[in-house]
Amino acid sequence: MQKHPIIIDNDTAQDDCVTILLALTDPAADLRAITTVAGNVPFDRQVANAQMTLSVAGRLGDVPLHLGCRQPMLRPWVSAEEVHGDGSGGLEIELDPDAISDEHAVDALIRLTAEQPGEISVVAIGPLTNIATAVVKDRRFVENVKSLYIMGGSNNGRGNTTSSAEFNFYVDPHAAQIVMEAGFTDLHIVTWDPITIRDATYSRARYDQLTSIDTPIAAFFKKVCDATLSFNESVGIDGSTHPDSITLAALLYPELVLEEGRYRVDVDTQSELTMGYSAMAWDKFGSEANAHVVERMDGEAFYDILARMLQTPSVPSRPIDGLAG
Ligand code: RIB
Ligand code: CA
């Protein structure tokens, strides 16, 4: 099986944790580094969530963890704590400072991709502040990245943070637009609407099947996902949402991408009403495409990939308070 060398740039909470677990356990993934960015929950909480995620898989210290930008480029930071709680269901861990690299995430993104030009892909599943900063700091980053897979925006559809904007693009719309204009030659966007809410949302009954698996990873999965499932049900989304992990799956298993189109994508940075809105123009409008936008994914195949991941046995690297066993 082909292994995909990847860096995951994320705002570690709920499904970001699931994505890291998938990258640590899936045979198609070769996880080179994890970089963190301001997003879902307070930054230091994200660092703890990342260490717990690595630990539950027994991999704390194995994968370089680089801390990145602690605030968006221009806009004030916006939290998603109302959605995810603290992003880990109240779990706690004693941080291992030796498992945190001294190298900033942006420098790591630039260095790692420069050391192997065209070989390492980046999966960006949080606000794009680190990615945009890398572009601004060293233009060669754009050429050195093999593929850039982004979870963000909606394809002429619903937002989730405002009626028009998805969270990652809303938190740092300026960074998102810098990335859209940067010239990445293999940019893929997995959206909130329709992909997440149609193809990566699983009912509570199916979620319960996943969380009934008897492994430390499945117990952790339940802990980090429960709060978001409850929030979703309170706002009319009937199930557990997995936008970030299905974005990684789109890279690891391209056969899961059933439909994808070429679009010109731009992110609104001007209007308070539609700040962070992803304008996605298809070929009819004649603008030069800058992205592949995923239009349909095989949600059933992805569910099986999640179930396989959750079966993975592990011996946690260090105790996680609140996690049974
Ligand atoms: O809009 C979905 C995105 O924001 C995901 O990356 C998830 O982490 C949420 O916080
Ligand atoms: Ca995320």
Side-chain angles (χ1 to χ4, degrees), residues 11 16 40 125-126 168 244:
D11 54 343
D16 299 83
N40 282 316
I125 54 175
N168 291 336
D244 295 335

Side-chain angles (χ1 to χ4, degrees), residues 7 30 34 48 71 75 80 131 158 167 190 209 211 213 220 270:
I7 298 169
D30 173 8
I34 297 168
Q71 66 180 63
R75 301 273 297 173
I131 308 302
R158 289 171 174 260
F167 180 79
V190 178
Q209 286 177 319
T211 58
I213 295 170
F220 180 79
Q270 304 300 314

